């Protein structure tokens, strides 16, 4: 299998597996059929042994684990497509959840995130970024592991308490910068960062597995809650992309990709994130292609994707776009102009008049050149459209071979525990010193009191002895004088 049939129009429209790493776009208005297209493409990749990662914002992708069922609407579409041998089947699935509520817990460590990416995510300025980098260096020099947010906050407190020494050894550390970083970490913590950062951290290789039949594993990131925190959403997706880029070797164009990312609600990646983070996403998308990784963006408006990224998206599937205003008409014209088209088709009108389940498609051919735009009816998925109940979802999660590996968090000794222990020992040492000093003062006071008492006794004895001596002296004197008088 070297290609995936996506739909039929004038032609049979295939995505070539060796061109999936040229990235792609799935766009269209709400209800136009984007989710079905996403499932068809994901299923085709899985059948070809290619794992994928999907951010499931609406919760309507997990049913890919359940075989579909025939109905009148589906039969009508299959007849229109001329497909007689269509079958229904489930696909291997892992569900991941940052909030650890309905999926395999997905965590990373502060150290793995690193100061540069963390600075970009928090939107730190150059000075604050420099200070955060010093915080990480101090942690390294002190042998302090940075695993979760409480570790990082404790090291920041340590740097603040020892600011003069740290500034002397590593560079100037402004207290204002430390305070600013701490405030921004609170926002990240409130967004779920206290759950996201921890151990066991995700092993990126666990996302590129196949099942016993050689089908690519579908990894769904439960994002219905995550999407309400665009910062955390962007951070997670960027981290996963960056990890893959850092750890995968350069391979160029393969017969099929190693992994494919699908970013749903892609506009959130670019509209609600700091510019520095946005630039980082653009950079990674450009470079990750050479690692054998494809990235597809799913969004309602194709113009939500920055031109620097849009120009990299060779596989294009555009469902119906609404045209109720001059601005929307302008958008549709710009989208139509981005396709390679012949004179027999008015793409602007075609995009407006697409039925649900239809799309304008264009994929690279064997030479890498874009094919002519074609109005195609998208295939139905082999998996179900039905929602899964809580028991079915729980069964999927807990039956995964990875569940036991990640289900329980590990809070080993790291910066927080080491510094807290150090502070506790310092308190004990200080208490001992204070107790010793108090005892020393008490003994000194006792010695002084003893010397003073002795002095009083000595004076008393001296006085007594003096009195006795004087009395004896007087008696002796009287005796002598008396004898002298008698002799006379």
């Amino acid at each position: 299998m070297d290609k995936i049939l996506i739909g039929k129009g004038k032609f049979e429209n295939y995505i070539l597996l060796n061109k999936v790493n040229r990235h792609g776009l799935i766009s269209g208005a709400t209800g136009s059929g984007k989710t079905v297209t996403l499932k068809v493409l994901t299923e085709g990749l899985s059948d070809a042994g290619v794992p994928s990662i999907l951010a499931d914002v609406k919760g309507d992708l997990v049913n890919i684990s359940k075989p579909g069922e025939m109905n009148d609407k589906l039969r009508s579409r299959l007849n229109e497509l001329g497909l007689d041998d269509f079958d229904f089947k489930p696909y291997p699935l892992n569900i991941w959840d940052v909030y650890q509520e309905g999926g395999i817990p997905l965590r990373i460590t502060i150290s793995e995130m690193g100061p540069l990416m963390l600075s970009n995510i928090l939107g730190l300025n150059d000075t604050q970024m420099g200070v955060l980098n010093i915080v990480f260096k101090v942690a390294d020099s002190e042998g302090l592991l940075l695993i979760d947010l409480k570790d990082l906050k404790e090291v920041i407190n340590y740097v603040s308490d020892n600011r003069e020494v740290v500034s002397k050894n590593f560079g100037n550390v402004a207290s204002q910068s430390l305070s600013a970083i701490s405030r921004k970490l609170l926002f990240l913590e409130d967004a779920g960062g206290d759950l996201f950062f921890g151990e066991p951290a995700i092993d990126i290789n666990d996302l590129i597995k196949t099942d016993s039949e050689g089908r690519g594993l579908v990894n769904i990131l439960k994002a219905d809650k995550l999407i309400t925190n665009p910062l955390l959403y962007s951070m997670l997706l960027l981290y996963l992309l960056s990890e893959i880029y850092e750890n995968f070797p350069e391979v160029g164009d393969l017969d099929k990709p190693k992994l494919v990312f699908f970013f749903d609600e892609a506009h959130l990646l670019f509209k609600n994130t700091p510019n520095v983070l946005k630039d980082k996403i653009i950079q990674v998308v450009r470079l990750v292609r050479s690692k054998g990784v494809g990235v597809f963006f799913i969004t309602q408006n194709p113009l939500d994707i920055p031109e620097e990224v849009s120009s990299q998206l060779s596989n294009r599937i555009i469902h119906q776009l609404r045209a109720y205003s001059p601005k929307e008409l302008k958008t549709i014209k710009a989208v139509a102009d981005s396709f390679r088209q012949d004179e027999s088709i008015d793409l602007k009108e075609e995009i407006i008049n697409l039925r649900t389940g239809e799309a304008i498609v264009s994929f690279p051919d064997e030479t890498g050149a874009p094919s002519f735009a074609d109005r195609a009816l998208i295939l139905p998925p082999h998996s179900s459209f039905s929602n899964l109940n809580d028991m079915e979802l729980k069964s999927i999660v807990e039956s995964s071979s990875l569940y036991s590996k990640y289900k329980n968090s590990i809070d080993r000794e790291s910066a927080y525990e080491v510094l807290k222990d150090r502070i506790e020992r310092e308190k004990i040492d200080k208490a001992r010193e204070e107790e010793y000093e108090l005892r020393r003062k008490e003994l000194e006071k006792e010695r002084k009191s003893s010397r003073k008492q002795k002095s009083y006794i000595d004076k008393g004895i001296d006085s007594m002895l003096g009195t006795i001596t004087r009395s004896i002296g007087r008696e002796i004197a009287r005796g002598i004088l008396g004898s002298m008088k008698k002799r006379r």
Side-chain angles (χ1 to χ4, degrees), residues 170-298:
F170 295 94
N172 185 48
V173 176
S175 58
Q176 297 91 332
S177 295
L178 290 171
S179 298
I181 294 169
S182 296
R183 285 195 300 272
K184 293 192 176 185
L185 286 177
L186 285 176
F187 287 116
L188 186 57
E189 186 174 17
D190 290 342
D194 55 331
L195 296 172
F196 181 51
F197 290 108
E199 287 186 320
I202 180 69
D203 178 352
I204 208 70
N205 293 303
D206 284 336
L207 300 175
I208 53 172
K209 292 183 177 294
T210 56
D211 69 358
S212 58
E213 299 175 19
R215 295 181 302 170
L217 195 67
V218 179
N219 295 281
I220 286 185
L221 306 177
K222 197 169 179 291
D224 51 341
K225 183 176 179 180
L226 182 63
I227 202 68
T228 62
N229 293 296
L231 180 63
L232 196 60
Y233 180 66
S234 302
M235 179 177 66
L236 171 60
L237 297 181
L238 176 59
Y239 170 78
L240 293 174
L241 264 181
S242 299
E243 274 294 288
I244 287 168
Y245 176 72
E246 293 294 332
N247 291 288
F248 282 21
E250 293 279 346
V251 292
D253 291 328
L254 300 172
D255 291 338
K256 62 182 181 181
K258 288 185 173 183
L259 178 70
V260 179
F261 267 91
F262 293 95
F263 290 169
D264 200 5
E265 301 294 337
H267 63 282
L268 294 176
L269 289 172
F270 302 104
K271 283 191 172 181
N272 297 301
T273 54
N275 287 331
V276 178
L277 181 56
K278 189 188 305 180
D279 293 341
K280 183 69 176 176
I281 294 171
I282 292 169
Q283 179 189 18
V284 173
V285 169
R286 282 177 174 173
L287 298 175
V288 79
R289 167 185 161 183
S290 63
K291 306 286 187 169
V293 176
V295 180
F296 279 70
F297 295 94
I298 300 98

Side-chain angles (χ1 to χ4, degrees), residues 3-154:
K3 57 187 178 182
I4 302 169
L5 180 61
I6 297 297
K8 291 184 177 182
K10 286 184 180 179
F11 321 101
E12 289 188 334
N13 296 281
Y14 291 92
I15 286 184
L16 302 179
L17 286 172
N18 63 358
K19 296 296 184 292
V20 172
N21 70 327
R22 303 292 179 90
H23 307 322
L25 172 68
I26 301 173
S27 185
T30 300
S32 61
K34 296 191 301 296
T35 300
V36 168
T37 300
L38 175 57
K39 289 182 70 175
V40 169
L41 181 51
T42 303
E43 291 175 356
L45 290 168
S46 180
D47 285 332
V50 179
S52 56
I53 300 176
L54 298 82
D56 188 4
V57 173
K58 297 183 288 291
D60 53 2
L61 296 175
V62 292
N63 51 23
I64 199 171
S65 62
K66 189 175 181 179
E69 296 178 349
M70 185 62 73
N71 56 46
D72 292 341
K73 188 176 180 181
L74 189 56
R75 186 177 287 107
S76 174
R77 180 179 288 201
L78 291 172
N79 290 336
E80 190 173 349
L81 288 164
L83 298 175
D84 300 323
D85 57 349
F86 194 81
D87 60 342
F88 297 101
K89 53 187 176 180
Y91 287 84
L93 172 67
N94 273 333
I95 304 173
W96 301 85
D97 187 6
V98 167
Y99 295 99
Q100 305 171 25
E101 295 172 347
I104 302 169
L106 196 157
R107 312 177 188 89
I108 66 172
T109 67
I110 292 288
S111 292
E112 288 172 323
M113 177 68 71
L116 180 59
M117 188 180 297
L118 193 56
S119 295
N120 290 336
I121 288 162
L122 296 175
L124 303 183
N125 60 35
D126 290 343
T127 301
Q128 294 162 355
M129 188 182 298
V131 170
L132 185 60
N133 193 52
I134 289 174
V135 169
F136 272 74
K137 286 183 177 180
V138 169
D140 286 341
S141 68
E142 295 280 340
L144 302 171
L145 292 176
L146 295 175
I147 294 175
D148 50 30
L149 280 177
K150 70 178 186 296
D151 289 327
L152 182 56
K153 290 192 291 184
E154 197 62 37

Side-chain angles (χ1 to χ4, degrees), residues 289-347:
R289 167 185 161 183
S290 63
K291 306 286 187 169
V293 176
V295 180
F296 279 70
F297 295 94
I298 300 98
T299 185
Q300 292 187 26
N301 186 345
L303 299 188
D304 286 337
I305 310 298
E307 188 175 349
E308 302 94 323
V309 173
S310 178
S311 61
Q312 308 288 317
L313 310 180
S314 299
N315 298 285
R316 292 173 173 262
I317 304 171
I318 306 296
H319 290 273
Q320 185 189 51
L321 299 176
R322 312 290 190 230
Y324 299 129
S325 69
K327 183 178 179 180
E328 289 173 331
L329 282 170
K330 189 176 179 181
T331 295
I332 291 171
K333 183 179 185 308
V335 172
D337 290 342
S338 68
F339 282 91
R340 183 185 178 190
Q341 52 189 298
D342 57 32
E343 296 179 356
S344 65
I345 185 171
D346 183 349
L347 271 188

Side-chain angles (χ1 to χ4, degrees), residues 400-457:
S400 169
S401 60
L402 297 174
Y403 181 65
S404 60
K405 179 178 179 178
Y406 293 104
K407 69 174 180 176
N408 295 321
S409 63
I410 300 171
D411 191 13
R412 60 180 169 135
E413 186 177 78
S414 50
Y416 177 82
E417 288 77 16
V418 170
L419 290 175
K420 284 293 185 185
D421 183 59
R422 188 182 297 179
I423 291 170
E424 194 61 33
R425 287 202 310 270
E426 287 174 355
K427 284 182 180 178
I428 292 172
D429 291 343
K430 186 177 180 181
R432 284 175 178 170
E433 287 177 6
E434 289 176 350
E435 185 180 356
Y436 172 80
E437 183 63 21
L438 181 62
R439 182 60 182 155
R440 188 189 65 78
K441 288 180 178 178
E442 287 176 350
L443 289 172
E444 182 64 27
K445 187 176 180 181
E446 287 175 4
R447 282 195 294 269
K448 285 182 178 179
S449 177
S450 177
R451 284 197 298 269
K452 190 174 182 180
Q453 187 177 6
K454 184 179 179 182
S455 176
Y456 289 144
I457 293 171

